[in-house]
Amino acid sequence: MSLLLDENSKVVIQGFGAAGQREAIICRDYGTNVVAGVTPGKGGQEIEGFPIRNTVQEAVDEFHANVSLIFVPAPFAADAILEANSANVPVIICITENIPVQDMMRVKRVLNNSNSTLIGPNCPGIINIGAHARAGIMPIDVYMDGNVGVISRSGTLVYEAVDQLTKAGIGQSGSIGVGGDPIIGTSQAQALALLENDPNTAAIVLIGEIGGTAEQEAAEYIKTMNKPVVAFIAGATAPPGRRMGHAGAIIAGAAGTAEAKQQALRDAGATVVKNPGEIGSQMLAVLKDQGLA
Amino acid sequence: MKLHEYQAKQLLASYGVPVPEGKIATTPEEAQIIAQEIGGKVVIKAQAHTGARGKAGGVKVAETPAEAFKIAEEMIGMQLVTKQTGSAGLPISAVLVEEAISIERELYLSVAIDGSMAMPVIIASQEGGMDIEEVAEQRPEAILKQYVDPACGFQGYQARALAFGLGLSGKLNRPATALIEALTKSFLETDGSIAEINPVVVTTDGRILAADAKFSIDDSALFRQKNLAELRDRSQEADKELEAQDAGIGNYIKLNGNIGCLVNGAGLAMSTLDAIKMAGGDAANFLDIGTANSPEAVVAALKIIGTDPDVEAVLVNIFGGLARTDIIAQGVIDAKNQGLIPQPTIVRLAGSNVNEGNELLDNSGLDFVRANGFAEAAQLAVSAIS
């Protein structure tokens, strides 16, 4: 399960409100096995054909849920992640944005000693195209079955990159949105390792952003990789000190600039795209160069 | 959310961080009275959400209460322009009147969240009063760090290590340790994102004081920091940004260019600014409308953009996921019909319900420029102006 999600995934949705229900239906229609929703106090009900339970543990015991997809509002989202962790759900995907940073810091401390993997928060989730498995909020119809994997801090830039790839005739194995917050469960480097080891992925698009040093850590990993990586860094023209929507996207210090990240990625052997409109065409060139397209 | 220096000092003092004797004044009369109460020389400090105030004339010494009156009179009501504010500067509506302290040593102390470690980090240096980033780059050995393990909290030995590392031994060690512990506690309990004391001063009479203070609260935690949320000073924020917030659009930043942007998603919005720059233009704003799923929300956002006098062209770049492009298209049409965006309007739609969205635009009878990719959209926006 290199993309953390496949035919055997049984998804439980925590926070079965409007967004949770809408996405549950889209996931199910796509072919994903959504086994239950969790909303405390509504256990025993059935909504849109999905059984609802009070706790994640019940969903695990009864339906063998092994992926949790979280839509719980920000003030309660850390609690929801920890609940999934305590129920030993191996893959936890948190869509929620605006979770207090100090909440995530404590969550991360707990997850360091856990077998569960957290993706997000503030992310679009994961999709595995070959397996028709979607645990997230991405639009499905822009994807095309193939062997390029996409990793991104930003949600809409996943869609943008996938759209460009599809229009260039390049299909995708899937995508992992790691999230736009300063503290996230799975880093870009860790996501790269998942795709490097995924037999259905031959090349990778990595979309980073200004702020933090995650792209430099990703660059360190790229040095050890066999698969080609095409990278783009969003926010090259953003002014320092301003929060550009994502809490993680604040330039504080020289390492946070787009230039520093582009340089690190280039030095590691990645193909760095400067124009965001050229992600698809650059990947096509790389694939041709490597005899992969 | 940023606090003013006087608010930060009150907060720190409530946790036991020693600060200079002083009070906030909103009139010259008050400044004079405070100076009298303190006695002797005082420092008058303009309160604005910016650093580098000293060089910009925002920090002055008054020898007498009469002089305190005069300086306060000059400062209150002025626009303070520093190298961090931009040319318009920030309005000064209050000054902090403090005892003038006689400085023996200046040190640096701050707490922030280290995202890659996922822990708060206390940073200390003997090089107080300096730009700490410069120190970190040129002499990393001059920077001391202690991480706070979220599981067991900040420990006494860590505070002692920092205090001794700062050269604060003997009689100064205990107050220094207490100050570091108090600063850390204040940061953790208030959902701080940055708490910085630069400089921490050792006075010639043997006291340790926070001579300056910067404090920011995590915006995402304001729901549970209600007392601090009330300290927000809207006068320090750009008018257009306040207008956007009042309309429920959180992610709006005013920029210096002339192409107004409406985008969904922070990453796409940043990339749109990049694409405009690459096409030879400059964006007038950053605006992430998020998953706004009503035409009204789009109209409200376009009103902010369209009424910005700097905006000469409007670029709408939407990649629908949770957000549906047909709903966005309807909002753009409504805004155009209401005369809110008279500027040339370039629209690029992709993702969910894109065919329906484009059909709405085509059938509207309105003059939209349609773009396929967003690099093309940026180019069209730039050429619409030139």
Side-chain angles (χ1 to χ4, degrees):
Chain A
M1 204 161 85
S2 307
L3 267 167
L4 301 174
L5 192 73
D6 62 19
E7 302 84 348
N8 301 316
S9 297
K10 296 183 177 67
V11 180
V12 56
I13 292 186
Q14 290 177 258
F16 214 66
Q21 289 175 35
R22 185 176 59 238
E23 296 305 322
I25 292 167
I26 297 172
C27 290
R28 180 176 61 192
D29 290 349
Y30 181 57
T32 311
N33 190 7
V34 180
V35 296
V38 169
T39 296
K42 292 195 174 169
Q45 296 182 15
E46 195 179 289
I47 299 175
E48 298 285 354
F50 298 102
I52 306 302
R53 294 296 176 265
N54 286 320
T55 66
V56 176
Q57 189 65 56
E58 288 173 67
V60 169
D61 291 344
E62 205 174 332
F63 305 105
H64 309 288
N66 54 17
V67 174
S68 172
L69 181 61
I70 298 177
F71 290 93
V72 171
F76 318 106
D79 176 66
I81 297 170
L82 292 174
E83 181 182 356
N85 176 65
S86 84
N88 295 313
V89 177
V91 177
I92 305 167
I93 299 168
C94 185
I95 305 299
T96 311
E97 61 182 328
N98 296 323
I99 301 177
V101 178
Q102 295 200 16
D103 284 5
M104 275 313 300
M105 173 184 99
R106 288 183 276 269
V107 166
K108 184 85 178 167
R109 180 66 169 80
V110 173
L111 288 173
N112 283 344
N113 299 317
S114 159
N115 291 320
S116 298
T117 298
L118 172 68
I119 298 286
N122 189 10
C123 79
I126 300 178
I127 190 166
N128 181 334
I129 301 298
H132 272 250
R134 174 191 190 258
I137 58 172
M138 61 291 282
I140 293 162
D141 49 9
V142 294
Y143 287 84
M144 180 170 94
D145 197 4
N147 59 11
V148 172
V150 178
I151 296 168
S152 173
R153 263 162 88 171
S154 149
T156 37
L157 281 179
V158 172
Y159 321 156
E160 179 66 46
V162 166
D163 190 49
Q164 288 184 27
L165 290 170
T166 297
K167 284 179 175 155
I170 306 165
Q172 306 89 38
S173 52
S175 64
I176 301 175
V178 296
D181 280 359
I183 299 178
I184 52 176
T186 298
S187 68
Q188 293 173 49
Q190 289 168 321
L192 283 170
L194 291 170
L195 293 185
E196 172 78 354
N197 296 316
D198 175 29
N200 299 320
T201 299
I204 296 153
V205 172
L206 175 70
I207 301 173
E209 283 177 8
I210 51 166
T213 55
E215 288 76 10
Q216 281 87 341
E217 289 152 28
E220 282 305 307
Y221 182 74
I222 288 172
K223 288 177 185 168
T224 70
M225 287 175 67
N226 292 314
K227 296 176 183 175
V229 176
V230 171
F232 170 72
I233 305 293
T237 58
R242 299 303 307 264
R243 171 177 167 164
M244 284 286 186
H246 286 163
I250 299 179
I251 296 176
T257 62
E259 292 74 35
K261 291 165 186 291
Q262 288 165 348
Q263 191 60 48
L265 289 161
R266 215 176 282 124
D267 291 348
T271 302
V272 175
V273 182
K274 283 201 143 183
N275 186 330
E278 293 176 358
I279 297 168
S281 55
Q282 290 276 340
M283 178 52 93
L284 187 62
V286 167
L287 291 178
K288 279 184 175 158
D289 190 47
Q290 307 237 342
L292 294 165
Chain B
M1 188 196 87
K2 288 180 183 173
L3 300 184
H4 279 299
E5 177 195 2
Y6 78 93
Q7 295 166 331
K9 281 180 169 168
Q10 282 170 1
L11 177 66
L12 289 171
S14 74
Y15 279 90
V17 173
V19 299
E21 187 188 352
K23 273 185 193 163
I24 192 78
T26 54
T27 63
E29 290 80 9
E30 282 174 11
Q32 184 170 10
I33 292 167
I34 297 164
Q36 237 148 16
E37 284 170 8
I38 292 171
K41 232 178 3 175
V42 293
V43 183
I44 317 283
K45 304 179 86 176
Q47 297 297 291
H49 288 176
T50 174
R53 288 173 298 165
K55 282 183 188 133
V59 180
K60 287 183 175 166
V61 176
E63 301 287 342
T64 64
E67 200 183 344
F69 181 97
K70 199 167 146 281
I71 292 170
E73 194 175 33
E74 285 163 14
M75 282 185 185
I76 295 168
M78 79 183 280
Q79 293 285 123
L80 184 69
V81 180
T82 76
K83 62 175 185 182
Q84 298 175 8
T85 58
S87 57
L90 290 169
I92 305 301
S93 54
V95 294
L96 179 60
V97 183
E98 274 187 348
E99 60 170 318
I101 45 182
S102 118
I103 297 168
E104 188 178 283
R105 292 178 59 200
E106 291 187 310
L107 309 167
Y108 176 93
L109 203 53
S110 71
V111 193
I113 304 271
D114 182 328
S116 61
M117 295 288 287
M119 288 186 212
V121 58
I122 325 292
I123 299 169
S125 173
Q126 300 212 23
E127 319 239 339
M130 311 275 290
D131 180 349
I132 198 67
E133 275 177 29
E134 233 165 77
V135 177
E137 200 164 304
Q138 287 161 9
R139 310 200 314 106
E141 71 282 359
I143 303 278
L144 307 171
K145 285 184 182 179
Q146 288 286 336
Y147 289 90
V148 184
D149 187 327
C152 57
F154 191 57
Q155 300 297 309
Y157 78 88
Q158 297 181 292
R160 292 194 296 276
L162 291 170
F164 284 119
L166 288 172
L168 299 170
S169 50
K171 267 200 300 198
L172 286 172
N173 186 258
R174 192 167 286 201
T177 307
L179 187 154
I180 293 165
E181 284 175 336
L183 170 69
T184 307
K185 189 165 187 237
S186 72
F187 178 89
L188 295 174
E189 289 189 357
T190 62
D191 279 295
S193 51
I194 288 176
E196 182 181 69
I197 306 177
N198 188 21
V200 175
V201 161
V202 180
T203 64
T204 49
D205 56 353
R207 292 182 294 161
I208 297 183
L209 295 172
D212 197 358
K214 281 199 187 75
F215 213 113
S216 292
I217 312 293
D218 179 3
D219 289 326
S220 298
L222 289 175
F223 71 88
R224 63 186 178 202
Q225 299 291 348
K226 293 203 171 68
N227 291 341
L228 292 169
E230 283 173 17
L231 297 180
R232 179 172 166 202
D233 180 357
R234 290 166 58 96
S235 78
Q236 300 293 308
E237 297 166 41
D239 289 344
K240 274 279 160 195
E241 293 177 12
L242 290 171
E243 201 184 321
Q245 280 171 27
D246 291 344
I249 302 153
N251 290 324
Y252 173 94
I253 295 174
K254 179 77 183 99
L255 300 168
N256 295 325
N258 53 8
I259 298 174
C261 300
L262 182 136
V263 189
N264 70 319
L268 191 63
M270 275 190 278
S271 304
T272 304
L273 308 190
D274 298 343
I276 290 171
K277 191 79 172 177
M278 297 201 78
D282 281 297
N285 66 276
F286 165 95
L287 194 160
D288 165 19
I289 193 152
T291 52
N293 257 334
S294 74
E296 291 75 25
V298 178
V299 170
L302 285 171
K303 187 181 169 192
I304 310 280
I305 294 170
T307 54
D308 179 342
D310 296 339
V311 169
E312 294 174 38
V314 176
L315 170 51
V316 177
N317 183 18
I318 300 294
F319 209 117
L322 277 180
R324 276 172 45 195
T325 51
D326 53 337
I327 288 173
I328 306 275
Q330 190 56 54
V332 177
I333 291 165
D334 292 350
K336 200 72 167 173
N337 276 326
Q338 291 170 33
L340 296 171
I341 40 170
Q343 300 90 345
T345 303
I346 295 89
V347 185
R348 182 273 181 136
L349 302 177
S352 62
N353 294 29
V354 61
N355 294 331
E356 291 86 342
N358 281 329
E359 211 164 289
L360 281 172
L361 293 175
D362 289 344
N363 297 337
S364 69
L366 295 165
D367 191 16
F368 294 114
V369 182
R370 287 254 310 275
N372 284 319
F374 79 122
E376 182 188 287
Q379 256 149 19
L380 288 170
V382 171
S383 46
I385 285 170
S386 52

